[in-house]
Amino acid sequence: MQKKPIHRRDFIKKTSLLTAGLAAVQFPAWSRYVFAPGYPLHNIPGRKNIDSRWIKSLYNRGEATAYYKSKNELKYIGMPVGGLHAGTVYAGGDGRLWLWQIYNETFEGSHEGIEPKAVKWNDGTSERTIRARDGSAYIEPAIANNLRILEQGFAVKVVVDGKSFIKELNEDQWDEIIFKPAYPIATVEYKSKDFPVAVNLKMYSPFIPLDAENSALPATILRLTVNNTTGSHIQVSILGWMENGANKLSGKEGTGKRVNQGSSVTQSTNIFSFFDAANGAIKTAPDSGTVCFTLHHRNGRAMASISPWPVTEQHFELPATQSASVDAPEKLVGGISLKQDLAPGKSFTADYSISWHFNNPHPKLKDFVKDAEAGFRYGARFKDAREVSQYLNTNFEKLSTATELWSATWNNSTLPHWFLERTFVNIGTLATANTYRFADGRFWSWEGVGACPGTCTHVWQYAHSVARIFPELERDLRQRVDLGVGFKEDSGAILFRGEDETRPAIDGQAGTILRFYREHQMSADNTFLQTNWPKIKKAVQFMLAQDKNGDGMTDSPMENTLDAVWEGEIAWIVGLCIAAASAAHAMAVEMNDQPFANVCAQYVANGSKNMEKELFNGEYFIHRPDAVKGRKELGSYNTCHIDQVYGQSWAFQVGLPRIISKEKSTLALKALWKYNFTTDVGPYIKTHTGGRPYALAGEGGMIMNTNPHNEPKPYGENTTWQLGYFHECMSGFEHQVAAHLMAEGMVDESLILTRVIHDRYHASKRNPFNEIECSDHYARAMASYGTFLTACGFEYHGPKGYIRFAPKWSSADFKAPFTAAEGWGTYTQKQAGAKQTHALELKYGKLELKDIALEKIAGGKISSVAVTLGKTPVSVNFKQDGNALLLSFNKKITVPRDQTLHITFS
């Protein structure tokens, strides 16, 4: 039987029928106010009046972000610290874990663990009951203390000169707690005048770019360090505890017992938790599984059951016990303690971990995707949580060292700390219940946690970080879904939700073609492109066929990411298709398919020329309505739309030639800045009601679509519920624009836009690690990584051995991380008098290079160049074209791990 197509609008609650003229249509609650008579006047000021000193400060390296208890900045913090695709486990601001979305219950209306409630709305109405996807998660974020779910924590006991001091690691017991985020590692510092030692806690899961397997362990590491700041020898005891989380939701009275088993194995002490079920049905519940709490130290003391809180001195003296059980639904909490003598000025670290194993996907998930029937990838690798713990224990040093190396590499930069944080942090979406990897290795995702299934092409094509950090996941998605279960062999159409759809989306089709090229670039050789070229070519032919009149401008009505079928020639879709055709041309050339390369080149030439001629109104690019139907259907028409030059933005991400002239592209961005960006969205959303609140009064943002010239009925005659999107600030779209602004040299504007998003997610207001659009941890927000790439002027093509850097500021003293197909490291460039030096230092893996493109830092002509790999000179050919510098080696060279390629120009 054919499955019913699943669209985003099918998941949005419909309200009662509205006015008689719209009696046949139902609308979601959040858009009910867009249909008032008349249309509000555009009220975004053209002059932004931003303090120049503040703008200048955005360029400063600054200090690493820190959030403080004393400033009331801890309660919303939730950094994902579990493995990729293993559910959501948050590190809270005070170091305790919370949320625990590990039970396969992440579906609409249930994924937050809280019921919908009435909250204050921002459009002048009183209170309305809304749900996470309607904006409530932004207006009233989840609070850590409300969603601890499982008992977990630590206490430290210190004996100094015969006197005991005890504190639990929670917010109530310390004068000051400082949370320092450096995703994937969170560090929490604890300070009190009445406690004699310094305590800090690091929390993370192994996270190693280019190693998706070892970055996907269902486990969290907790590294607790105590430093003796006294002048005396002291005795330190650490107690860690963890609740038996097996069958947490389904373990009702009469269903069975919770059991803890304590043991010491090779260099570790652990408590293994499971559920002794009274019947078979309970074993197949989504929350049926195991948990393992481990101290990676042989001398720990395991206590299968410990007494309730608060922690007293007696807890540290409890005898070791090997087993304990309680009848469900009672809690069972086990603990592991460790004692250490510590000399003055010395410290010691206790490495704990929590691993889990819940390998029963929700029945609804199995309905969406049959691959879920066999369970998850981690379930295929490990039989239970104890095996996960054993793997972690065996490989602890390697996994921890590589994770901390990446964190140090990412943050060892001249770029501002806040900028590095905001452009990278959204990769944490992979470590939430938004993504899954099934037993057969297939990667699958919602759009946002529990909302809109099928790894949607027109959402995920905005996300740039996954392809650069874990490229194997994107390659698998291209092959297994876009060219597999979601591919129509007869036409070349790519169904935009894989098997959960029956139609393509035109922007998803074009964006996926661009992603084919990107995934090829992030490969070590041409195997991916060679293997998939016949289907890729067919997908391109389908896209080209949507240009019915042959002018290079797509004009076939098709679904797009704003959940409507728009008629006519739409600048952002036209430009995206042109960029995709340009990528197809590049791939065809590499595949020696010159006839098809010529077809694509002609499409690009016609499209670029006609887009600039027909769709540019002198200020910005527009939507030209269908010649017959006119403005009958919803569209952006003469309004100023956020994605109008998105195709050019994409072209910069993969190093394609320009598809829109710099002059008109820059004018369009300036129009977006003038008409759509505001430092305070309050006046706009007060008058332009109906959108969801992803930015509130007093916060800055870029509105999706505005009507600068106050045209009547600007969005067409038959306005529908999707019009509500136009009045919103969705961060994924904003990040896309910020990346493009950076690429075009509009650096001030790019940093300002990125910073207002960063400030919207400050910990004093909401969770800094959860950018929301139609549910939590929305995939589109991973577009933020594109801004980092354009700031570095980064381009890369693995099979060709080509890499480029052209920093957008501080070029005389610049340092930033980079990733490639088989390795990652640090790039630096400096100017000293008449010399400029460049270096690529490999920290992990290897880097194969044939061509290196750089820029002249200061004016003048280069007279000589010297290249060394380590201390060994390397022969190189050199060309200079203005400020563009190109180094070419006679054959590929390999930069191995812990080696540096030095380049000196004189």
Side-chain angles (χ1 to χ4, degrees):
M1 179 181 292
Q2 180 68 47
K3 289 186 178 180
K4 180 183 178 182
I6 300 172
H7 317 305
R8 170 159 36 183
R9 59 175 172 265
D10 294 332
F11 285 84
I12 297 176
K13 181 182 178 181
K14 302 297 190 290
T15 61
S16 58
L17 296 180
L18 298 177
T19 60
L22 299 169
V25 187
Q26 292 179 316
F27 305 92
W30 49 262
S31 69
R32 68 177 68 174
Y33 296 103
V34 302
F35 305 104
Y39 197 81
L41 296 178
H42 181 271
N43 59 352
I44 292 176
R47 294 179 63 86
K48 308 306 173 186
N49 295 320
I50 302 173
D51 189 330
S52 60
R53 293 169 297 179
W54 179 78
I55 297 174
K56 186 177 180 180
S57 74
L58 300 181
Y59 291 83
N60 296 339
R61 172 68 169 158
E63 300 293 329
T65 298
Y67 299 116
Y68 295 82
K69 171 188 173 180
S70 59
K71 297 180 181 179
N72 194 28
E73 295 174 336
L74 303 184
K75 65 180 179 179
Y76 299 124
I77 289 175
M79 178 192 280
V81 288
L84 310 187
H85 336 301
T88 311
V89 174
Y90 277 163
D94 69 353
R96 290 179 293 170
L97 303 179
W98 65 288
L99 197 64
W100 296 102
Q101 289 178 347
I102 58 177
Y103 296 123
N104 306 312
E105 290 286 333
T106 54
F107 282 84
E108 181 73 12
S110 66
H111 68 272
E112 280 197 304
I114 54 176
E115 292 300 317
K117 65 174 77 174
V119 299
K120 291 290 185 182
W121 193 250
N122 213 42
D123 61 1
T125 64
S126 55
E127 290 190 350
R128 286 157 54 189
T129 299
I130 52 180
R131 298 159 299 133
R133 65 182 306 155
D134 290 335
S136 63
Y138 189 86
I139 296 175
E140 192 171 346
I143 297 174
N145 281 339
N146 295 342
L147 294 170
R148 291 291 176 194
I149 308 295
L150 296 174
E151 293 282 358
Q152 175 274 325
F154 292 98
V156 178
K157 174 187 172 184
V158 181
V159 180
V160 184
D161 299 329
K163 185 178 181 180
S164 294
F165 302 82
I166 297 174
K167 282 191 183 293
E168 294 180 36
L169 301 192
N170 66 50
E171 188 172 0
D172 296 336
Q173 298 196 15
W174 298 83
D175 297 339
E176 182 67 285
I177 296 178
I178 307 170
F179 184 95
K180 296 182 176 181
Y183 190 80
I185 299 175
T187 302
V188 185
E189 297 178 358
Y190 304 85
K191 299 181 179 182
S192 275
K193 294 177 182 178
D194 62 352
F195 205 66
V197 297
V199 179
N200 75 69
L201 176 66
K202 283 187 177 180
M203 297 174 284
Y204 58 91
S205 190
F207 183 102
I208 307 166
L210 309 184
D211 188 351
E213 194 87 326
N214 278 318
S215 301
L217 301 177
T220 298
I221 293 170
L222 305 111
R223 309 194 78 175
L224 184 58
T225 299
V226 178
N227 182 27
N228 183 3
T229 58
T230 75
S232 305
H233 280 75
I234 63 175
Q235 187 183 77
V236 177
S237 298
I238 293 173
L239 173 64
W241 60 87
M242 180 68 203
E243 180 183 343
N244 181 323
N247 293 87
K248 175 67 177 181
L249 309 177
S250 61
K252 309 297 183 182
E253 186 174 355
T255 59
K257 295 178 179 289
R258 293 196 167 92
V259 182
N260 281 354
Q261 293 178 345
S263 65
S264 292
V265 293
T266 306
Q267 295 301 315
S268 70
T269 304
N270 64 54
I271 292 174
F272 180 59
S273 300
F274 60 94
F275 194 88
D276 184 8
N279 59 71
I282 199 75
K283 295 180 180 179
T284 61
D287 65 332
S288 176
T290 57
V291 175
C292 194
F293 183 50
T294 302
L295 171 65
H296 297 275
H297 194 291
R298 191 180 185 92
N299 295 329
R301 186 170 76 254
M303 296 155 282
S305 177
I306 59 177
S307 302
W309 326 122
V311 171
T312 65
E313 193 153 359
Q314 285 69 36
H315 284 85
F316 292 90
E317 306 303 326
L318 290 172
T321 51
Q322 292 187 337
S323 64
S325 65
V326 298
D327 291 328
E330 293 299 313
K331 288 183 179 180
L332 179 61
V333 179
I336 305 175
S337 64
L338 179 67
K339 186 180 294 186
Q340 181 85 22
D341 290 329
L342 209 56
K346 298 297 183 180
S347 64
F348 86 99
T349 297
D351 290 324
Y352 286 82
S353 71
I354 299 168
S355 54
W356 57 91
H357 192 283
F358 294 94
N359 194 36
N360 293 334
H362 196 285
K364 290 183 181 178
L365 185 61
K366 296 176 184 178
D367 287 342
F368 288 140
V369 52
K370 66 179 182 180
D371 298 73
E373 294 174 358
F376 301 120
R377 175 66 179 153
Y378 76 69
R381 291 181 67 191
F382 308 106
K383 71 176 183 181
D384 56 29
R386 182 157 47 194
E387 275 202 358
V388 178
S389 177
Q390 289 168 350
Y391 180 84
L392 189 58
N393 191 63
T394 301
N395 299 280
F396 194 90
E397 184 175 355
K398 179 184 75 172
L399 297 174
S400 292
T401 299
T403 301
E404 295 192 355
L405 177 64
W406 167 253
S407 182
T409 301
W410 176 259
N411 289 288
N412 182 19
S413 172
T414 57
L415 291 167
H417 281 286
W418 73 265
F419 180 80
L420 289 167
E421 180 181 335
R422 185 48 50 193
T423 55
F424 188 67
V425 71
N426 292 308
I427 190 72
T429 293
L430 294 182
T432 73
N434 188 17
T435 71
Y436 301 90
R437 203 169 186 191
F438 300 124
D440 62 0
R442 177 180 170 181
F443 174 72
W444 188 94
S445 175
W446 305 97
E447 291 181 20
V449 176
C452 310
T455 328
C456 180
T457 62
H458 61 52
V459 169
W460 272 83
Q461 57 118 341
Y462 286 79
H464 291 298
S465 55
V466 181
R468 303 295 181 173
I469 306 300
F470 300 108
E472 66 184 88
L473 296 180
E474 291 281 13
R475 284 195 295 267
D476 176 75
L477 186 57
R478 299 290 84 72
Q479 293 184 139
R480 200 186 302 238
V481 180
D482 299 328
L483 297 177
V485 295
F487 189 70
K488 305 298 289 183
E489 292 276 359
D490 57 340
S491 66
I494 298 170
L495 307 182
F496 68 88
R497 297 189 190 278
E499 62 266 64
D500 290 319
E501 247 305 338
T502 59
R503 303 166 300 155
I506 185 60
D507 51 343
Q509 185 90 12
T512 300
I513 291 165
L514 283 154
R515 292 191 288 170
F516 289 137
Y517 186 46
R518 182 189 63 192
E519 273 60 279
H520 167 55
Q521 290 181 321
M522 282 299 292
S523 300
D525 55 38
N526 70 354
T527 301
F528 171 82
L529 182 58
Q530 186 84 45
T531 301
N532 297 297
W533 175 242
K535 287 186 175 181
I536 293 172
K537 180 177 178 179
K538 190 173 287 188
V540 175
Q541 290 169 326
F542 176 86
M543 182 196 73
L544 299 181
Q546 306 316 307
D547 170 25
K548 302 302 184 187
N549 61 8
D551 63 356
M553 297 198 295
T554 301
D555 51 12
S556 296
M558 288 179 66
E559 183 88 4
N560 65 57
T561 195
L562 298 180
D563 294 326
V565 176
W566 291 14
E567 308 272 355
E569 293 160 325
I570 306 139
W572 66 277
I573 291 176
V574 167
L576 191 58
C577 290
I578 296 169
S582 180
H585 170 264
M587 289 186 282
V589 169
E590 291 192 50
M591 289 294 99
N592 296 313
D593 190 343
Q594 196 57 48
F596 191 61
N598 293 340
V599 170
C600 295
Q602 189 61 53
Y603 184 95
V604 172
N606 290 342
S608 296
K609 178 186 68 176
N610 289 323
M611 181 177 173
E612 294 195 21
K613 178 183 177 183
E614 305 295 339
L615 302 185
F616 188 73
N617 70 0
E619 284 188 292
Y620 52 84
F621 287 89
I622 62 167
H623 169 187
R624 186 164 69 175
D626 181 82
V628 176
K629 294 185 178 180
R631 294 191 183 194
K632 181 179 178 181
E633 303 297 335
L634 179 73
S636 57
Y637 303 113
N638 289 332
T639 61
C640 194
H641 179 58
I642 196 167
D643 268 354
Q644 60 184 268
V645 281
Y646 180 34
Q648 181 58 59
S649 181
W650 237 119
F652 281 120
Q653 292 295 318
V654 287
L656 292 170
R658 294 198 74 96
I659 62 160
I660 302 172
S661 69
K662 182 172 180 61
E663 176 193 11
K664 288 186 171 61
S665 179
T666 303
L667 284 172
L669 290 173
K670 288 181 177 178
L672 279 171
W673 191 254
K674 178 180 179 180
Y675 296 129
N676 295 48
F677 177 78
T678 174
T679 57
D680 181 1
V681 302
Y684 187 88
I685 62 176
K686 184 176 182 180
T687 55
H688 297 71
T689 57
R692 294 164 297 181
Y694 301 133
L696 303 179
E699 298 175 339
M702 184 169 280
I703 303 295
M704 289 285 293
N705 231 27
T706 66
N707 182 25
H709 305 298
N710 294 315
E711 292 191 7
K713 297 184 178 180
Y715 300 113
E717 299 291 335
N718 184 24
T719 50
T720 54
W721 63 264
Q722 293 92 338
L723 176 55
Y725 292 148
F726 293 174
H727 302 327
E728 299 173 359
C729 289
M730 292 190 260
S731 67
F733 295 94
E734 294 171 292
H735 284 306
Q736 177 277 118
V737 174
H740 193 181
L741 288 164
M742 184 69 73
E744 298 285 13
M746 298 174 69
V747 182
D748 281 2
E749 293 86 346
S750 177
L751 291 179
I752 292 167
L753 180 53
T754 305
R755 183 54 187 250
V756 299
I757 301 168
H758 186 64
D759 289 346
R760 294 205 306 255
Y761 285 93
H762 190 275
S764 62
K765 298 189 287 187
R766 51 189 59 88
N767 187 355
F769 310 99
N770 178 15
E771 289 189 25
I772 296 165
E773 176 201 329
C774 197
S775 191
D776 298 301
H777 297 285
Y778 200 79
R780 197 188 327 258
M782 287 187 282
S784 60
Y785 196 79
T787 312
F788 165 75
L789 294 177
T790 53
C792 298
F794 178 82
E795 295 175 5
Y796 176 72
H797 193 301
K800 289 184 178 180
Y802 167 82
I803 201 166
R804 175 182 183 263
F805 297 93
K808 292 302 180 181
W809 80 89
S810 298
S811 58
D813 185 8
F814 181 85
K815 179 188 288 186
F818 70 90
T819 61
E822 298 177 286
W824 43 263
T826 299
Y827 169 77
T828 60
Q829 67 176 52
K830 291 186 178 182
Q831 181 186 9
K835 289 186 177 181
Q836 67 180 66
T837 60
H838 305 254
L840 288 91
E841 181 182 2
L842 253 288
K843 301 288 189 179
Y844 178 93
K846 65 179 182 178
L847 175 65
E848 293 195 340
L849 292 174
K850 179 69 168 57
D851 299 295
I852 304 174
L854 304 167
E855 285 192 343
K856 184 77 173 68
I857 297 175
K861 188 171 179 63
I862 298 293
S863 59
S864 66
V865 60
V867 179
T868 59
L869 179 55
K871 295 182 179 180
T872 305
V874 180
S875 178
V876 67
N877 301 307
F878 169 66
K879 291 182 181 180
Q880 180 176 3
D881 182 7
N883 285 335
L885 311 175
L886 181 64
L887 303 174
S888 296
F889 304 105
N890 293 328
K891 61 180 181 179
K892 281 187 178 181
I893 64 169
T894 299
V895 184
R897 180 175 182 168
D898 297 327
Q899 282 273 28
T900 302
L901 186 72
H902 296 277
I903 304 166
T904 303
F905 295 103
S906 301

